[in-house]
Amino acid sequence: MSEFEFKPIRNVYLDYNATTPLLPEVKEVMQVFMDKYANPSSNYAMARENKTAVGAARKNVASLLNTSSNNIIFTSCGSESNNQAIRGAVKQLQKKGKHLITSEIEHPSVLETFRYMETQGFEVSYLKCNTDGIIETDTLQGEIREDTLLVSLMLANNETGAINPIKELCQIAHKSGAIFHCDAVQAIGKIPVDVKDLNVDLLSVSGHKLYAPKGIGVLYIKDGIVVEPLIKGGGQENGLRAGTENVIYIMALGKAAELAQTNVANRANIEQMRDQFEAELLGCYSGAHINSINTSRLPNTINISFPGLVGDSLVTELDKRGICVSAAAACKSGSSKPSYVLTAMGINPSDAFATLRISFGVQTLHEDASYALKQIKAIIDVSKG
Ligand code: PLP
């Protein structure tokens, strides 16, 4: 039996940026609503009860973002929210011009939407990030024009955790008369996000990044911002997103949003564990470096390159030892191309291939971190020969 072939003594999930488990309180609410099957639009007590419950969940989400229930629509996922925001807003604004702005390091649900907009006759500027993975205000200032309709930039990057100066970027867009969409999928539930303070016009959320199920999302729409619905039909979600409400998942997200208030307030605990883990990782391989280290980052995320090693092989070896991490974003793992986020930051392709993304969550125990660290050190020692 080789030293890698043994039954893991522990299962440790350190990939919270890919998705999160359901919290027990979220599961409990889902269980209750599995038997409350009435359509919230029907006209009897059972249905009215569900309508009221959906209203309460909407209020919880609104409160997490510091807005009102009227400004929240439920969607099927973060990808839908991004598509709806960009395509729906541009449709309303197209008389003003044909120019749109995003960045090179957005999630595919944003990038592919902009590529689609190009096929529809729009001109798109893809902003470059700096070496820390940040979109600088000067970069936006240099590209924005009088005919720019919309700027879409992410709050926190899913691979590096780097946090963009959204408030300042949004100010630049507004000064030029453009509206601002923010993909906040990775930030919500990890750091405080206040839509009034940021002053964004549209903001996307995904349930499965904050301990609710996959398949539920939210789009925040500021008062006065008009979007054309992508999914037309019944009048649900203020006529902006047709489809009978997924009451079970909406209730799950409402509970997750309520719990997120406490989790965000306690984020220093995760950050402390992350910082200690990171310092020990750096110590076990000479030349290892943390990406986006010189900027503010999500408190749970580590993006580390081990030049000379192969990220995918590390993921496989860790998997054999019961540890779940990513070599890049979950939707890109197994790709033969280096991470486009890391290469956009100026990291050479071989270092980009030598990278692990490790992301902690509220259920990560100190014992989990110690076990993972011990296993990573053992794998690295073997690979050093
Ligand atoms: N935006 C970012 C930054 C993400 O990380 C993700 C998911 O990984 C999404 C959007 C898409 O969210 P969903 O999986 O709910 O479609």
Side-chain angles (χ1 to χ4, degrees):
M1 186 173 167
S2 98
E3 56 219 298
F4 291 146
E5 290 169 3
F6 61 91
K7 199 171 169 346
I9 53 166
R10 210 179 167 95
N11 282 308
V12 175
Y13 183 76
L14 295 178
D15 203 14
Y16 282 78
N17 285 13
T19 194
T20 56
L22 300 174
L23 287 176
E25 297 90 330
V26 171
K27 279 191 211 169
E28 237 172 74
V29 169
M30 291 175 77
Q31 197 69 50
V32 170
F33 279 86
M34 275 183 192
D35 290 324
K36 295 183 184 276
Y37 50 83
N39 185 328
S41 301
S42 299
N43 199 9
Y44 33 81
M46 217 165 102
R48 283 192 292 274
E49 195 190 324
N50 277 359
K51 193 172 181 179
T52 305
V54 166
R58 197 184 305 277
K59 208 165 174 193
N60 283 352
V61 173
S63 155
L64 181 65
L65 302 180
N66 190 29
T67 185
S68 325
S69 296
N70 299 342
N71 301 98
I72 297 296
I73 65 164
F74 290 111
T75 64
S76 71
C77 58
S79 299
E80 184 188 325
S81 300
N82 285 338
N83 272 264
Q84 170 64 74
I86 299 161
R87 290 164 64 176
V90 168
K91 200 97 197 236
Q92 290 293 328
L93 295 166
Q94 54 192 331
K95 284 194 197 89
K96 188 194 157 204
K98 286 275 178 196
H99 183 233
L100 310 172
I101 298 182
T102 188
S103 85
E104 288 182 345
I105 58 165
E106 299 298 311
H107 186 265
S109 56
V110 168
L111 285 175
E112 291 305 319
T113 304
F114 278 101
R115 287 190 187 122
Y116 168 75
M117 298 313 290
E118 286 180 293
T119 69
Q120 302 303 299
F122 291 89
E123 184 191 345
V124 181
S125 298
Y126 296 89
L127 302 182
K128 294 201 175 302
C129 63
N130 69 13
T131 53
D132 275 309
I134 293 296
I135 308 301
E136 292 178 352
T137 49
D138 286 351
T139 311
L140 176 59
Q141 195 67 69
E143 287 293 333
I144 201 149
R145 315 190 312 220
E146 260 181 27
D147 65 337
T148 306
L149 303 180
L150 171 130
V151 177
S152 174
L153 295 169
M154 70 201 322
L155 182 38
N157 186 267
N158 40 310
E159 292 191 34
T160 62
I163 299 173
N164 276 322
I166 290 297
K167 190 172 172 175
E168 292 75 17
L169 291 162
C170 185
Q171 264 168 9
I172 294 171
H174 285 165
K175 255 193 209 144
S176 182
I179 70 162
F180 196 95
H181 164 249
C182 179
D183 173 357
V185 162
Q186 284 292 344
I188 305 291
K190 298 188 182 108
I191 55 170
V193 176
D194 178 333
V195 290
K196 288 208 179 105
D197 180 52
L198 295 175
N199 201 19
V200 293
D201 301 300
L202 298 153
L203 179 135
S204 305
V205 180
S206 170
H208 74 101
K209 308 292 182 178
L210 70 145
Y211 309 94
K214 293 139 197 72
I216 182 81
V218 160
L219 181 63
Y220 158 78
I221 308 175
K222 198 203 281 181
D223 287 341
I225 298 295
V226 184
V227 293
E228 162 107 13
L230 275 192
I231 301 180
K232 300 180 205 320
Q236 294 93 350
E237 302 303 304
N238 263 338
L240 290 172
R241 204 282 182 179
T244 304
E245 296 86 344
N246 185 342
V247 177
I248 301 170
Y249 281 25
I250 290 173
M251 295 315 292
L253 182 51
K255 183 45 114 181
E258 180 192 322
L259 298 169
Q261 305 259 16
T262 316
N263 293 335
V264 168
N266 293 338
R267 66 193 179 283
N269 298 337
I270 289 184
E271 189 163 23
Q272 210 174 20
M273 187 163 33
R274 189 274 311 265
D275 289 350
Q276 199 182 337
F277 192 93
E278 204 168 75
E280 299 214 29
L281 269 186
L282 284 172
C284 72
Y285 190 79
S286 121
H289 55 90
I290 305 294
N291 301 310
S292 295
I293 187 74
N294 299 313
T295 191
S296 51
R297 286 180 294 157
L298 294 175
N300 76 319
T301 307
I302 300 176
N303 189 292
I304 183 165
S305 299
F306 298 101
L309 301 184
V310 178
D312 272 332
S313 310
L314 291 173
V315 170
T316 306
E317 291 308 325
L318 285 165
D319 181 33
K320 289 180 192 166
R321 294 161 189 251
I323 299 162
C324 307
V325 298
S326 283
C331 49
K332 284 276 165 195
S333 60
S335 164
S336 57
K337 288 195 187 143
S339 149
Y340 64 85
V341 173
L342 298 182
T343 50
M345 289 162 63
I347 293 172
N348 67 53
S350 65
D351 282 5
F353 274 125
T355 300
L356 283 187
R357 179 187 70 181
I358 302 169
S359 43
F360 295 99
V362 297
Q363 291 172 325
T364 310
L365 304 173
H366 283 282
E367 293 80 2
D368 296 331
S370 311
Y371 174 73
L373 201 54
K374 206 166 132 198
Q375 300 308 321
I376 295 173
K377 280 181 181 166
I379 293 165
I380 286 179
D381 283 347
V382 170
S383 65
K384 279 193 225 162

